[in-house]
């Protein structure tokens, strides 16, 4: 099973990329992950662009979502919400209505932030937007607050937090396996 990861921070070496890597370390043997690296190339969603042929980055995103068994969104919080790159990717994956590759797809949300609130508003917004887009979103999220010091050797240094991430990843892959079996 393949988990598609959308990392909302476009910055090289971001805390959220480190969180994505820490989460993916908890995938079961045989499961794989693909981190979509084209968020910066996606044009802003517009129905005028949502025609054949699709913009190349949008076509790659839709193909990646369709091929994935689950989607993991890992997002920072910018100005009290998720970054536009994540929202734009969800918009592209939620169209066209009735044929969206995101519809029914198991999804989960993680977030890291330098602030102590652990990107709470971004996580809440991501869950709401994914649900509206038709994804089957895990109701719980995991946030890493004061994240500048949260990682040691690629893993989360807080054992309880690392275990929470592991549980969320486990539930996501179980949900994806159940969806595939149905």
């Amino acid at each position: 099973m393949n988990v598609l990861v959308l990392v909302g921070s476009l910055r090289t070496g971001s805390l959220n990329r480190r969180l994505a890597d820490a989460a993916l370390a908890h995938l079961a043997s045989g499961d794989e992950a693909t981190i979509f690296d084209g968020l910066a190339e996606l044009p802003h969603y517009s129905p005028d662009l949502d025609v054949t042929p699709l913009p190349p980055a949008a076509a790659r995103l839709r193909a990646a979502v369709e091929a994935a068994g689950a989607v993991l969104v890992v997002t920072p919080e910018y100005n009290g919400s998720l970054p536009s790159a994540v929202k734009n990717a969800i918009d592209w994956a939620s169209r066209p209505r009735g044929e969206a590759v995101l519809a029914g797809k198991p999804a989960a949300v993680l977030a890291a932030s330098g602030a102590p609130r652990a990107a709470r508003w971004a996580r809440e917004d991501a869950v709401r937007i994914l649900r509206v887009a038709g994804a089957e979103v895990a109701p719980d999220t995991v946030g890493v607050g004061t994240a500048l010091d949260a990682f040691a050797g690629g893993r989360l240094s807080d054992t309880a937090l690392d275990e929470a991430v592991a549980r969320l990843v486990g539930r996501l892959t179980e949900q994806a396996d159940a969806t595939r079996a149905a």
Side-chain angles (χ1 to χ4, degrees), residues 6 15-16 18-20 22-23 26 72-77 107-113 115-127 130 137-147 150-151 156-172:
L6 303 177
L15 293 170
N16 282 277
R18 292 168 71 185
L19 177 57
H26 293 295
L72 180 63
V73 173
V74 186
T75 183
E77 184 171 275
V109 177
L110 297 171
S113 170
R117 291 179 40 87
R120 179 175 154 207
W121 291 336
R123 288 183 285 131
E124 291 170 352
D125 288 351
V127 167
L130 284 163
V137 188
D140 54 333
T141 64
V142 177
V144 179
T146 319
F151 298 93
L156 285 165
S157 53
D158 181 318
T159 303
L161 196 52
D162 192 52
E163 289 171 356
V165 169
R167 283 190 303 276
L168 184 63
V169 168
R171 282 192 301 274
L172 177 63

Side-chain angles (χ1 to χ4, degrees), residues 5-182:
V5 183
L6 303 177
V7 179
S9 176
L10 305 180
R11 187 175 59 82
T12 303
S14 75
L15 293 170
N16 282 277
R17 176 55 192 260
R18 292 168 71 185
L19 177 57
D21 291 340
L24 296 179
H26 293 295
L27 284 175
S29 177
D31 287 342
E32 299 177 350
T34 303
I35 296 178
F36 186 77
D37 62 357
L39 291 185
E41 289 106 40
L42 274 174
H44 293 286
Y45 181 81
S46 167
D48 291 341
L49 298 176
D50 196 356
V51 295
T52 303
L54 283 174
R60 282 191 315 110
L61 174 68
R62 284 187 180 164
V65 173
E66 186 171 25
V71 175
L72 180 63
V73 173
V74 186
T75 183
E77 184 171 275
Y78 296 161
N79 296 316
S81 188
L82 52 90
S84 62
V86 174
K87 174 67 166 70
N88 191 41
I90 294 169
D91 288 346
W92 275 106
S94 71
R95 303 287 192 275
R97 240 339 152 202
E99 301 173 32
V101 293
L102 194 54
K105 191 73 62 172
V109 177
L110 297 171
S113 170
R117 291 179 40 87
R120 179 175 154 207
W121 291 336
R123 288 183 285 131
E124 291 170 352
D125 288 351
V127 167
R128 184 182 67 252
I129 293 164
L130 284 163
R131 281 190 181 137
V132 169
E136 298 293 328
V137 188
D140 54 333
T141 64
V142 177
V144 179
T146 319
L148 296 171
D149 300 319
F151 298 93
R155 305 239 327 140
L156 285 165
S157 53
D158 181 318
T159 303
L161 196 52
D162 192 52
E163 289 171 356
V165 169
R167 283 190 303 276
L168 184 63
V169 168
R171 282 192 301 274
L172 177 63
T173 57
E174 287 170 9
Q175 181 184 2
D177 288 340
T179 299
R180 276 196 343 232

